[in-house]
Amino acid sequence: MLRKLVIGVAVIATLVAGVGTARLVLDPTGGVIKQLAFLRAEIEDGADRAAQKQFPEGYFFLNVLYGLSWVQVGLDDPAHSADATAEVRWSLDRLAGTDGTAPFDESLQPQYGVFYAGWTNWLRGGLIALGHSDAADLDTFTSESVELATAFRTARTPFLAAYPGQAWPVDSVVAIASLRQYDALVAPRFGQIARNWVTMAKTKLDPATGLLPHQVAPQVSGARGSSQAMIQRFLVDIDPTFARTQYEIFKDKFVTGAGVREYPKGAGGKGDVDSGPLVFGMSLSATVVAMGAARVHNDPLGDRLGREGELLGLPLSGLKTKRYVFGAVPIGDAFLAWSTSARPLVAPEQPKFDGGSWWWRLPWLLVLWLPALVLWCGLRLRHRGRRRRRAH
């Protein structure tokens, strides 16, 4: 009876090891459309409103990342561009509704603050890029880009407010990237504003790290992984040269073998609503976003983080949908879909980083296969011992 039980456990351990090995080897980008099918159903069922109760921008992020993931899918495969256009329009409509604008202050410049204006403008640029937009879409993209450009031109700081008296540089990075997107898609118009912004931003770097700070109002705080991962995702579409330098510093100070730290190496701190809970100093949200940042920088780190996510994220894939962690946190699935399908929308393909070796898989393979090997070897040795006893 004991032998049968051990055999059963050994078989299960072997199956787990086999599935885990496949997830480390197979390309994870093929399941994004299934992820988006799951997310569409969840959003229709109220997941975005539920997320708003958990995160300050939960409703907004779930909808905007859903739309942006469709932009990336449609640009990568023109066969999906028409479907992507319809889904992006659906996302924009939800963002423009009462639930989308409710957390933000309409009186700010730009209207509703730089967070709301920057992300929606970036998404609207994605709609234009898909190639199925109309004159009204272009007019809106132009007017919103002009409003953003005016706000930056007249501000005394490169970092505009997202809420009254509160400003995070990452939000302005997204907004400036959307102006660069306009120049690439429509006509050169905002290049000088973007160049001026980079010049000013370089004077505001965190002295401890040489990176853009996490927050600048009401107080200045040093660079942190959760905002840095997002900054590195967009900065390449503003100034690839500056972005490369910043990304290399980010990797050196925040990326470890297991993920992305929330605070620089050698420093500590507590998790909050931006980072989520920290595990040995690492932020899960920063790690997921950094996967997308690595992909746009043509860094093999993105592939490694994606495959590790497939291994550890407990994905469930059916005929039409795919979800992670049993679909318990849809906003996490949205970030994963956005990062898995990541690609530069303005900048050309970047020079590839070194470090594409497969050796990083060895520790994972050892963890996966060691229990099965121990069990099977134990059964084999026990079988040999019984045969010797019978022979004697």
Side-chain angles (χ1 to χ4, degrees), residues 227-271:
S227 58
Q228 276 302 312
M230 192 76 76
I231 287 170
Q232 305 310 322
R233 174 69 189 268
F234 285 92
L235 201 58
V236 68
D237 283 321
I238 299 174
D239 184 328
T241 302
F242 179 48
R244 185 80 167 198
T245 302
Q246 290 283 287
Y247 181 72
E248 289 173 347
I249 298 173
F250 165 68
K251 283 190 66 177
D252 178 59
K253 296 188 177 297
F254 286 91
V255 178
T256 69
V260 176
R261 295 178 52 83
E262 178 61 15
Y263 297 92
K265 295 173 184 177
K270 297 181 179 180

Side-chain angles (χ1 to χ4, degrees), residues 96-353:
T98 302
D99 288 326
T101 60
F104 308 102
D105 191 319
E106 186 177 4
S107 67
L108 291 174
Q109 294 298 321
Q111 190 178 38
Y112 298 118
V114 71
F115 173 90
Y116 180 91
W119 279 96
T120 52
N121 205 47
W122 180 256
L123 180 57
R124 197 171 299 281
L127 175 67
I128 303 298
L130 288 169
H132 299 279
S133 57
D134 54 32
D137 295 320
L138 182 57
D139 288 344
T140 303
F141 187 36
T142 299
S143 63
E144 292 183 354
S145 296
V146 168
E147 183 182 5
L148 268 173
T150 302
F152 279 108
R153 185 184 296 114
T154 57
R156 297 179 180 179
T157 171
F159 309 129
L160 306 184
Y163 301 95
Q166 300 180 69
W168 293 262
V170 60
D171 302 329
S172 291
V173 171
V174 178
I176 291 293
S178 76
L179 297 182
R180 297 295 289 162
Q181 190 181 30
Y182 184 95
D183 286 357
L185 293 172
V186 184
R189 185 169 181 176
F190 304 114
Q192 190 59 51
I193 289 176
R195 288 188 289 272
N196 290 345
W197 182 90
V198 171
T199 299
M200 293 179 65
K202 286 180 178 178
T203 69
K204 306 291 184 180
L205 299 178
D206 169 29
T209 60
L211 297 167
L212 291 172
H214 176 68
Q215 189 173 8
V216 294
Q219 67 276 329
V220 178
S221 60
R224 286 177 48 180
S226 53
S227 58
Q228 276 302 312
M230 192 76 76
I231 287 170
Q232 305 310 322
R233 174 69 189 268
F234 285 92
L235 201 58
V236 68
D237 283 321
I238 299 174
D239 184 328
T241 302
F242 179 48
R244 185 80 167 198
T245 302
Q246 290 283 287
Y247 181 72
E248 289 173 347
I249 298 173
F250 165 68
K251 283 190 66 177
D252 178 59
K253 296 188 177 297
F254 286 91
V255 178
T256 69
V260 176
R261 295 178 52 83
E262 178 61 15
Y263 297 92
K265 295 173 184 177
K270 297 181 179 180
D272 57 19
V273 69
D274 293 320
S275 67
L278 303 185
V279 180
F280 301 111
M282 289 179 292
S283 164
L284 178 59
S285 62
T287 301
V288 171
V289 176
M291 176 176 71
R295 291 188 188 279
V296 301
H297 281 275
N298 203 8
D299 185 353
L301 172 67
D303 182 65
R304 176 172 74 81
L305 292 176
R307 294 176 192 272
E308 289 175 342
E310 289 296 300
L311 177 63
L312 301 175
L314 303 177
L316 293 176
S317 185
L319 293 176
K320 295 184 178 180
T321 63
K322 182 179 181 180
R323 67 200 71 186
Y324 291 81
V325 197
F326 309 107
V329 190
I331 195 169
D333 288 84
F335 273 103
L336 276 166
W338 181 57
S339 292
T340 300
S341 58
R343 49 164 291 160
L345 297 189
V346 178
E349 182 176 348
Q350 299 301 292
K352 190 169 185 178
F353 273 79

